[in-house]
Amino acid sequence: GKSAILTALIVGLGGKATMTNRGVSLKDFVKTGESTADVTVKLRNRGADAYKKDLYGDYITVEQRISNDGSRSYKLKNKS
């Protein structure tokens, strides 16, 4: 449980697969028979240290799409 969550956070926030000790390449995280895997991380964005609060609001959402060829793309989503 805890290791899987940490792995998802590392990969979802752009870390290398080797940092997780669970894979050598990002393609190792794509289920066999599937073409992509999606990871979404929702970050709380409140308080005095909030990042561009007027643009992002209370949460910043990071969406990663990992392809079975090992490439990735991401989106940063704001409040709308």
Side-chain angles (χ1 to χ4, degrees):
K2 295 181 294 264
S3 295
I5 292 169
L6 184 57
T7 297
L9 287 171
I10 291 169
V11 172
L13 294 174
K16 295 181 179 182
T18 54
M19 293 176 66
T20 67
N21 293 323
R22 289 188 170 213
V24 178
S25 171
L26 285 175
K27 63 185 175 184
D28 294 334
F29 297 108
V30 179
K31 189 183 280 188
T32 303
E34 298 291 330
S35 59
T36 61
D38 295 320
V39 180
T40 302
V41 178
K42 191 172 185 179
L43 301 170
R44 184 176 167 181
N45 191 41
R46 297 182 188 166
D49 293 334
Y51 180 74
K52 296 185 180 181
K53 175 108 170 137
D54 55 324
L55 174 62
Y56 289 103
D58 288 339
Y59 294 95
I60 300 171
T61 303
V62 181
E63 290 183 353
Q64 292 269 354
R65 173 160 284 173
I66 302 166
S67 298
N68 59 2
D69 67 359
S71 65
R72 80 163 115 200
S73 61
Y74 71 95
K75 294 178 186 178
L76 283 178
K77 293 190 166 186
N78 62 14
K79 58 187 174 188
S80 60

